[in-house]
Amino acid sequence: MLEKKLSTGTGITFRKIEPYLYLAPATILVVLVFLYPIVDIIRTSLLQNNPDGIKTFGFTNYRLVFEDPVFWQALGNNGKLLLSVPILTVLSLLIAILLFEHVRGWLVYRGIIFMPYVLAVPVVGVTFGYLLGLNGIFNTLLRSAGLAFLAQNWLGSVKWVLPSISVVIIYREMGFGVVLFLARLMSLEKEILEAAAIDGANFWQKHFYVTLPQLSGVIEFFVVVELITMLSWVFAYVFVMTGGGPGFASTVMEFYIWKHAFAFRSPGIASALAVVLLMVTTLLIVLQLRLRRRSLEEGA
Amino acid sequence: MKTPKSLRRIRTLLASIPNQIVLILFSILSIYPVYYMAVTAFKTRPDWLHNQFGLPNPFTFQNITDALIKGEIPLWFGNSLIVTVASLVVTTVVSALAAYAIARFRFPGRAFYFNMMIALMVIPPAVLILPLFVLMVNINLINKLPSVIIIYSGLLIPFSVYLLVSFFRSLPPELFDAASIDGCNNLDMFWRISLPLSTPALVTLIVVNALFVWNELLIALVFLQDQSQKTLMPGLTLFKGHFTVNEPLIMAGTLIATIPMILLYLFGQRLFVEGLVAGAVK
């Protein structure tokens, strides 16, 4: 009705603006939740308090950030977490290929191995807090294996806290990788694998030379998603399990931003830190754009 | 004839034993923390102290009832439910409309808009919280559920739009041509063609988004600091601080918080798998 009425006189204009009407509600929320805050942190990060009490624009916050050893430590900690992505990817691939080999009960295995991904990070964190504690299962197993000298407070040790957090992240994220890779494996053409088997390729040869090359797209996708996770989504693990400690040994960028914003109440520093993290993720944005658009074009 | 066949079967069975062992090992690793949480929740504290890993002896419901009655868990549970449902409604409606525009119309800025959505999926929420906090204080929404509902709805839009665009594009254009000849306008087609035919994609999207909202910690922690307004995840983290002396009680709390997602998972495993795989595997 509305369109009919409009189409007599202003039909062309309505047609021109119509798509934007559909976009309007989403745009309002995106501007509010993403774009305004991004502009605001850039502005706040450049504002500095001068001794005379007047605020001017400058790079003081950035200078303070770059002179802060904890900032470098936090950035380095995120970097160390990135190192667990290859381990995570290889483990997920291995399990997915094993499941793909028509083992009995593969659906049950898939169901169990994917389950940790459904658990909330705080829940996983609290539980592993006990499991990794002084009298937790890890240390108990070590002691019963006669390796008592290795037993320790895993989350309380400067040396072991980050590897321990990595293990917990791998525990939760592996389910996602397995499901993703398995779905791709099941869409492969079986003839090629059968041909390879007939030609006498063994298990490893078959999967290394035939399966893996065909999985390259989905592997790339998973690696990018997990790199993003290690930079942008690890706050909850750190907050629940260690509170950034001992000292700053497990402080990551997200946690340090939160700390400056809400515990130290220094919005300038928090904003400068946020801008730096944003810059680091920009590289991933480029990768993400390439990958996501490619997969969409292939599907269309 | 019979012997070689059964021999071959035995041989394949034997060959799969190493695979089975690896898979059983990983399954135990995957399930162990959940097992630990479940058995601990039904133990008394003295029992837990010298029997950390075995089955409860004696078996007690005390922790579950304590968590439900003494603590604020029912309140937080309700808040989580309100926040999850409201965020999902807003984000699904708003994203479906936007995805429809991108999939169905040609207009200036379309490619830019879609690329922006893909790029925004990468932004860490930690970067956004400080300006949003100041904003919520100024519009007097801090410590109120609508603050996190707005933020979650916004955060979920990029992924939701992305997923729905790829689905809407796969609908046959002939349907829309026919409807157009029958006098349907674009909004009619949205309601009568795109949405009904996308029910599987919508359900998948809702399930995956529900998981995100229910489990989210950082935003809930920052924006809902008032005890009565907390959701489950920040509530539980704080719960841990208060009751560090009673581990079984804490595990009872986390178990209660986990049950809805486990149920959702048991009934909709396929949906989770489809939602997470969407966009990556074609």
Side-chain angles (χ1 to χ4, degrees):
Chain A
M1 278 294 274
L2 182 71
E3 205 203 17
K4 249 180 206 163
K5 216 188 268 173
L6 284 167
S7 65
T8 51
T10 52
I12 293 163
T13 18
F14 178 73
R15 237 184 231 171
K16 269 191 177 159
I17 61 164
E18 192 181 7
Y20 301 104
L21 294 179
Y22 290 92
L23 291 178
T27 310
I28 292 169
L29 274 170
V30 164
V31 168
L32 189 76
V33 173
F34 286 101
L35 304 184
Y36 157 73
I38 291 172
V39 173
D40 191 73
I41 52 158
I42 295 172
R43 197 186 63 93
T44 312
S45 72
L46 291 170
L47 271 179
Q48 55 189 34
N49 282 314
N50 290 327
D52 51 7
I54 299 164
K55 286 190 174 184
T56 54
F57 284 102
F59 291 96
T60 310
N61 290 321
Y62 288 95
R63 192 173 52 76
L64 291 172
V65 162
F66 290 127
E67 284 170 0
D68 175 9
V70 181
F71 156 73
W72 293 106
Q73 192 174 2
L75 200 63
N77 286 343
N78 276 112
K80 285 176 193 160
L81 288 181
L82 291 180
L83 295 178
S84 51
V85 174
I87 304 171
L88 173 60
T89 310
V90 170
L91 276 179
S92 307
L93 265 172
L94 180 74
I95 305 283
I97 288 175
L98 288 182
L99 286 175
F100 179 62
E101 285 284 315
H102 304 290
V103 264
R104 259 161 203 262
W106 69 274
L107 263 173
V108 178
Y109 287 130
R110 188 187 73 170
I112 294 173
I113 291 171
F114 181 57
M115 193 190 51
Y117 194 71
V118 181
L119 303 177
V121 176
V123 167
V124 171
V126 171
T127 311
F128 270 93
Y130 295 131
L131 297 179
L132 293 167
L134 268 178
N135 293 310
I137 185 86
F138 282 86
N139 288 336
T140 308
L141 285 177
L142 284 174
R143 284 184 197 120
S144 59
L147 298 166
F149 62 96
L150 285 176
Q152 56 181 303
N153 185 1
W154 297 95
L155 293 172
S157 140
V158 172
K159 195 173 153 203
W160 286 104
V161 65
L162 270 182
S164 304
I165 291 176
S166 299
V167 166
V168 180
I169 298 176
I170 291 173
Y171 162 77
R172 187 170 172 276
E173 295 290 326
M174 208 179 72
F176 175 40
V178 170
V179 162
L180 198 63
F181 294 145
L182 189 59
R184 181 73 183 93
L185 279 166
M186 296 209 290
S187 72
L188 294 182
E189 282 169 38
K190 297 205 172 47
E191 288 78 16
I192 306 174
L193 282 172
E194 278 162 12
I198 290 167
D199 287 346
N202 69 27
F203 179 87
W204 297 109
Q205 286 172 331
K206 186 174 78 177
H207 288 300
F208 195 81
Y209 294 108
V210 184
T211 314
L212 277 187
Q214 295 187 77
L215 287 188
S216 60
V218 72
I219 293 172
E220 215 179 322
F221 173 87
F222 181 68
V223 168
V224 172
V225 168
E226 291 306 324
L227 292 177
I228 294 168
T229 303
M230 300 300 169
L231 285 177
S232 310
W233 296 96
V234 288
F235 174 86
Y237 292 100
V238 170
F239 181 84
V240 173
M241 287 196 286
T242 65
F248 293 99
S250 64
T251 295
V252 290
M253 284 299 288
E254 288 171 276
F255 189 80
Y256 203 43
I257 293 170
W258 173 80
K259 201 130 199 196
H260 268 287
F262 298 101
F264 304 156
R265 298 193 183 270
S266 44
I269 302 286
S271 300
L273 286 167
V275 173
V276 174
L277 180 58
L278 201 59
M279 304 283 234
V280 176
T281 50
T282 308
L283 183 71
L284 290 172
I285 290 180
V286 177
L287 280 175
Q288 160 101 337
L289 267 172
R290 229 178 51 135
L291 282 173
R292 293 267 180 176
R293 284 180 57 198
R294 193 178 61 197
S295 80
L296 208 65
E297 278 156 18
E298 279 169 10
Chain B
M1 276 305 273
K2 235 180 179 178
T3 340
K5 209 174 186 181
S6 58
L7 207 74
R8 211 186 308 154
R9 256 175 72 187
I10 291 171
R11 204 180 290 161
T12 41
L13 215 69
L14 281 175
S16 75
I17 285 179
N19 292 7
Q20 291 279 1
I21 292 173
V22 176
L23 288 169
I24 289 172
L25 202 76
F26 272 94
S27 297
I28 293 173
L29 287 176
S30 297
I31 217 161
Y32 188 79
V34 183
Y35 160 84
Y36 181 81
M37 180 164 68
V39 293
T40 308
F42 296 103
K43 282 177 187 171
T44 61
R45 185 152 193 278
D47 180 24
W48 180 80
L49 279 176
H50 57 255
N51 167 30
Q52 247 205 85
F53 310 115
L55 292 170
N57 177 34
F59 191 90
T60 175
F61 274 108
Q62 194 61 43
N63 302 309
I64 303 284
T65 47
D66 276 0
L68 285 175
I69 295 163
K70 282 189 191 160
E72 278 135 324
I73 287 185
L75 187 71
W76 298 335
F77 197 98
N79 287 341
S80 277
L81 212 59
I82 295 171
V83 167
T84 306
V85 171
S87 309
L88 292 182
V89 169
V90 175
T91 209
T92 309
V93 172
V94 160
S95 305
L97 282 168
Y100 182 69
I102 293 170
R104 287 276 307 146
F105 298 96
R106 296 200 157 273
F107 56 91
R110 188 179 71 149
F112 170 79
Y113 198 91
F114 190 53
N115 287 339
M116 184 178 76
M117 290 292 156
I118 296 173
L120 288 179
M121 284 194 253
V122 181
I123 306 291
V127 165
L128 312 168
I129 49 173
L130 184 59
L132 287 173
F133 185 81
V134 176
L135 179 79
M136 291 301 170
V137 170
N138 287 339
I139 59 175
N140 205 17
L141 276 182
I142 205 75
N143 277 327
K144 290 178 184 142
L145 298 184
S147 64
V148 295
I149 293 171
I150 292 171
I151 296 171
Y152 289 146
S153 304
L155 283 179
L156 291 171
I157 287 176
F159 173 69
S160 308
V161 169
Y162 173 77
L163 191 82
L164 289 175
V165 165
S166 62
F167 199 83
F168 286 166
R169 275 185 185 166
S170 69
L171 298 175
E174 295 80 20
L175 280 175
F176 294 91
D177 296 340
S180 174
I181 292 164
D182 288 347
C184 274
N185 66 34
N186 285 315
L187 197 60
D188 289 336
M189 289 192 242
F190 173 71
W191 284 114
R192 292 184 189 177
I193 301 176
S194 293
L195 281 191
L197 288 182
S198 308
T199 318
L202 287 170
V203 174
T204 302
L205 181 69
I206 288 170
V207 168
V208 173
N209 283 345
L211 181 70
F212 168 81
V213 176
W214 187 269
N215 290 347
E216 204 283 334
L217 177 69
L218 173 61
I219 288 151
L221 190 76
V222 166
F223 292 87
L224 303 172
Q225 296 179 4
D226 202 80
Q227 194 68 353
S228 69
Q229 299 298 308
K230 280 199 161 67
T231 53
L232 267 173
M233 292 309 149
L236 281 173
T237 337
L238 181 112
F239 194 63
K240 189 190 162 215
H242 276 243
F243 295 94
T244 27
V245 285
N246 197 347
E247 297 81 355
L249 182 61
I250 295 161
M251 287 290 104
T254 52
L255 187 66
I256 292 167
T258 305
I259 285 170
M261 286 304 122
I262 296 276
L263 284 179
L264 197 61
Y265 175 56
L266 289 178
F267 288 111
Q269 202 200 118
R270 195 178 50 84
L271 296 170
F272 273 112
V273 172
E274 278 169 12
L276 295 168
V277 168
V281 183
K282 291 276 177 185

